[in-house]
Amino acid sequence: MARVVIMGGGVSGHTAATFSKKWLGDEHEVVVVTPNSQWNWIPSNIWVGVGQMQKKDVVFPLAPVYEKAGIVYKQALAKAIHPNGKESSDKPFIVIESTKKDSLGQTEELEYDYLINATGPKLNFDATPGLGNGKGQMGTNTVSVCTAEHAIHANLELKQVFEKAKKAKENGTGEKQKILVGTGHGMCTCQGAAFEYIFNIEHEAKKAGVRDMLDIKWISNEAFLGDFGMGGLHMKVGGYAVSSKLFAESLYAERNVEWIIGAHTSKVEDGKIEYELLDGTKHEETFDFAMLIPPFSGVGFKAYDKDGSDITDVLFAPNGFMKVDAKYDAGAYENWKASDWPSTYQNPSFSNIFACGIAFAPPHLISKPMTSPNGTAINPTPPRTGMPAGIIGKAVAHSVCDMIKKGKDAHLHEASMAEMGAACVASAGKGILDGSAAAMTVYPVVPDFEKYPGTGRDTDYTFGEIGLAGHWIKHILHHMFIWKAKLKPGWTFIPE
Amino acid sequence: MKKKEEENFALNEQFNLTMIPGSFARKMRTCKIWQFFRFIVINIKMLIVVSKSH
């Protein structure tokens, strides 16, 4: 009997775990290690953040789902990897620390035959002074929608701002509330979540009758609006292939949302941020309410050799993400190729270790690297969430299952982001009759300028439009993916 | 009466350099019949991309 250990139970880890169990059956053991007791459909957190959904709508307990599936569930935090075992045993293992109430802090050595790292990111709030609390958690100056708990807090704060705006309107003082949404550092990713949140706030403000009392502003590390960490995309509309920049700017202008782009948020205080622009100039912006996405980093694993020596740099890149079969020495932007991106997600040093979702170290950015004259890097890091995370998780599970069943030399399954597309629906306001969302597809996720010299992507399969239909799709996807994650009948027919 | 897009263009210099939908385009975004048709079209397009990616 082989044991597959999956660290992380998010979109990628949960997909890898559930498919591993389905394909391996009871002959082999699948173990999931995740510090969370609940699964969270993160894309819907933005609706919790504006009070249009409750926490219970976006989370569910993992234990019953894993019990039904026959997956061993360890509610614990993985701390260290020992890929060569220890002096008394050659069996590789990880060290985990329980996060369950009744065994909190207890450590355990968990042996594995195959290890899948799907931990997702560390929300690195402390990378920006004042964004974090100095202890690795979110600070008190801004809010976040990265977790369901954060989103609940964000909604409470937002409602207070709406209330102040309402009072100012009634009193006729004309004092506007300033709302700032975007990225909290020059190296952030996940601009899409902030994009969704700002337009959902705008939509809710209109419904609450306080839109005219709000100044809503976007701040982002993107070099241009609509970059989204993918270098933007070109969509075919009305016979034209048009840059996402034009579409994004159009939406911001239509909804009266001003923007600051190419910005590295360098410091956050109560009601004020300091930021540096790509031209090197430094500025301040005040706010009454701010939701700033933190940068992501690896979760901070350590790796040790048999003799206890630190081999973290063998398994992990300096940013804490796991090294896989990517080309990490591609060099300057001019030399970047689509083939630099990994396809099997196997660790080059240990063939029984894989990484998927955000946990794998990308070879380089997708967007063009940008630096201010002061040497500050201001560019979005590559997105690896959503559909690509699910597809990669499934491909990795397939490879591991084949290695167990057919032998260690079995053909590995491939899922390069340079050869896969992604469908993305970004909410711009919730409402079954008055909602809207930008529905987009992009193919491939990582542009391939050798295959598509102009835009890097196939414009026949890269499109986008905004409307009520997009909202319906977003809402249906919410229910579909929670259904799939709960392993309800037909779950395997729902694509990642 | 001032057109909606005129209002937005005038709000900000940033806004003046982009395209802003007129009233017809805005109405079509929430027109149930048109959006039902778009719902089908978008789903088909997405399914094609999803099938090419697995």
Side-chain angles (χ1 to χ4, degrees):
Chain A
M1 176 186 268
R3 177 187 281 169
V4 182
V5 172
I6 294 127
M7 303 187 292
V11 169
S12 205
H14 192 70
T15 303
T18 49
F19 275 101
S20 292
K21 191 62 194 173
K22 172 181 154 56
W23 290 326
L24 290 172
D26 293 333
E27 286 173 52
H28 305 281
E29 192 178 37
V30 176
V31 183
V32 172
V33 177
T34 172
N36 306 314
S37 61
Q38 292 181 311
W39 194 82
N40 178 203
W41 177 238
I42 293 169
S44 295
N45 285 353
I46 48 122
W47 286 337
V48 178
V50 291
Q52 286 298 307
M53 272 195 177
Q54 311 233 322
K55 185 183 173 185
K56 65 177 174 55
D57 299 323
V58 299
V59 302
F60 64 81
L62 277 170
V65 175
Y66 285 150
E67 192 182 351
K68 183 175 74 176
I71 294 168
V72 179
Y73 166 52
K74 301 263 184 189
Q75 193 191 321
L77 192 66
K79 304 284 282 186
I81 304 173
H82 295 254
N84 290 318
K86 52 189 175 184
E87 287 190 338
S88 58
S89 167
D90 289 337
K91 190 82 178 171
F93 67 94
I94 59 170
V95 177
I96 63 173
E97 186 181 292
S98 175
T99 57
K100 276 176 89 170
K101 268 185 187 166
D102 55 356
S103 57
L104 191 68
Q106 285 179 16
T107 58
E108 180 188 344
E109 290 180 2
L110 181 65
E111 292 183 345
Y112 65 83
D113 295 289
Y114 291 89
L115 181 67
I116 299 175
N117 176 13
T119 54
K122 172 188 168 188
L123 302 174
N124 194 12
F125 287 103
D126 283 334
T128 304
L131 189 65
N133 64 356
K135 296 172 188 164
Q137 306 296 319
M138 184 178 67
T140 54
N141 297 320
T142 62
V143 301
S144 150
V145 289
C146 292
T147 69
E149 286 297 336
H150 286 176
I152 291 169
H153 170 245
N155 177 48
L156 293 175
E157 295 282 321
L158 183 66
K159 290 293 171 284
Q160 285 183 26
V161 169
F162 278 15
E163 208 49 50
K164 282 182 195 168
K166 201 175 274 180
K167 276 186 185 153
K169 195 172 187 176
E170 286 165 3
N171 299 339
T173 60
E175 188 191 349
K176 288 190 174 184
Q177 296 290 304
K178 293 182 81 171
I179 290 183
L180 186 66
V181 175
T183 55
H185 191 273
M187 295 288 280
C188 282
T189 185
C190 228
Q191 289 79 12
F195 172 94
E196 290 187 276
Y197 195 52
I198 199 167
F199 288 111
N200 271 272
I201 288 176
E202 201 270 346
H203 183 74
E204 291 304 316
K206 268 188 206 151
K207 280 163 58 179
V210 294
R211 178 64 186 92
D212 54 337
M213 299 305 293
L214 301 180
D215 275 335
I216 305 179
K217 196 172 268 190
W218 170 260
I219 184 163
S220 149
N221 56 345
E222 301 160 289
F224 58 89
L225 276 185
D227 179 291
F228 295 127
M230 301 190 298
L233 54 137
H234 287 75
M235 301 177 270
K236 256 193 183 165
V237 181
Y240 289 80
V242 186
S243 166
S244 53
K245 175 180 185 286
L246 196 56
F247 275 94
E249 287 183 351
S250 171
L251 183 62
Y252 282 68
E254 179 196 338
R255 306 279 282 265
N256 190 16
V257 175
E258 290 179 44
W259 62 83
I260 303 166
I261 47 168
H264 162 63
T265 304
S266 54
K267 191 177 179 186
V268 183
E269 294 173 5
D270 184 16
K272 190 178 85 173
I273 63 158
E274 294 176 11
Y275 63 94
E276 178 183 343
L277 291 179
L278 274 168
D279 63 9
T281 56
K282 295 183 179 177
H283 307 266
E284 289 181 356
E285 188 70 36
T286 58
F287 62 82
D288 297 293
F289 173 94
M291 197 295 289
L292 299 176
I293 298 277
F296 293 170
S297 69
V299 295
F301 278 129
K302 286 283 184 189
Y304 298 101
D305 208 348
K306 219 173 166 59
D307 60 2
S309 57
D310 193 323
I311 54 166
T312 306
D313 61 345
V314 175
L315 267 84
F316 295 95
N319 56 10
F321 295 118
M322 184 172 263
K323 290 178 188 171
V324 290
D325 61 321
K327 184 175 168 56
Y328 292 110
D329 57 355
Y333 175 71
E334 294 71 32
N335 302 324
W336 293 359
K337 288 181 179 172
S339 55
D340 298 341
W341 284 76
S343 56
T344 66
Y345 304 89
Q346 188 178 43
N347 181 265
S349 304
F350 297 94
S351 62
N352 60 341
I353 298 180
F354 293 79
C356 54
I358 295 177
F360 82 83
H364 43 66
L365 305 177
I366 299 175
S367 305
K368 193 173 181 178
M370 298 276 184
T371 308
S372 81
N374 308 318
T376 309
I378 306 175
N379 33 232
T381 47
R384 312 177 302 279
T385 52
M387 184 175 153
I391 293 175
I392 294 167
K394 189 176 180 181
V396 164
H398 220 152
S399 295
V400 169
C401 293
D402 279 359
M403 286 171 88
I404 291 170
K405 287 182 163 179
K406 297 175 185 171
K408 288 181 179 174
D409 296 327
H411 175 73
L412 298 180
H413 293 259
E414 298 182 352
S416 168
M417 281 172 61
E419 286 170 20
M420 77 168 79
C424 172
V425 188
S427 173
K430 191 172 183 296
I432 207 75
L433 296 177
D434 65 350
S436 63
M440 290 177 275
T441 64
V442 55
Y443 188 88
V445 178
V446 174
D448 185 340
F449 289 101
E450 288 175 339
K451 212 184 257 183
Y452 313 105
T455 66
R457 298 198 175 91
D458 189 334
T459 48
D460 286 341
Y461 302 108
T462 302
F463 84 99
E465 70 174 73
I466 188 162
L468 182 59
H471 172 71
W472 293 340
I473 294 169
K474 174 105 183 160
H475 207 97
I476 290 167
L477 289 178
H478 164 90
H479 292 290
M480 265 174 58
F481 284 119
I482 289 178
W483 180 277
K484 180 182 171 76
K486 285 181 173 174
L487 310 183
K488 289 195 172 180
W491 68 273
T492 55
F493 295 109
I494 299 170
E496 288 66 46
Chain B
M1 194 179 76
K2 204 174 2 174
K3 288 179 182 169
K4 192 77 185 160
E5 59 269 33
E6 290 289 336
E7 284 175 28
N8 289 48
F9 278 129
L11 283 173
N12 187 309
E13 208 169 306
Q14 280 182 324
F15 299 171
N16 204 23
L17 295 173
T18 187
M19 58 179 193
I20 293 179
S23 54
F24 178 73
R26 289 179 203 223
K27 269 182 193 156
M28 294 306 273
R29 283 190 194 159
T30 48
C31 167
K32 282 81 191 169
I33 297 166
W34 175 245
Q35 287 300 313
F36 179 71
F37 169 70
R38 295 310 301 165
F39 176 80
I40 294 166
V41 171
I42 295 167
N43 269 298
I44 291 169
K45 285 183 168 185
M46 284 186 165
L47 282 172
I48 292 169
V49 170
V50 168
S51 65
K52 278 173 73 71
S53 304
H54 277 72

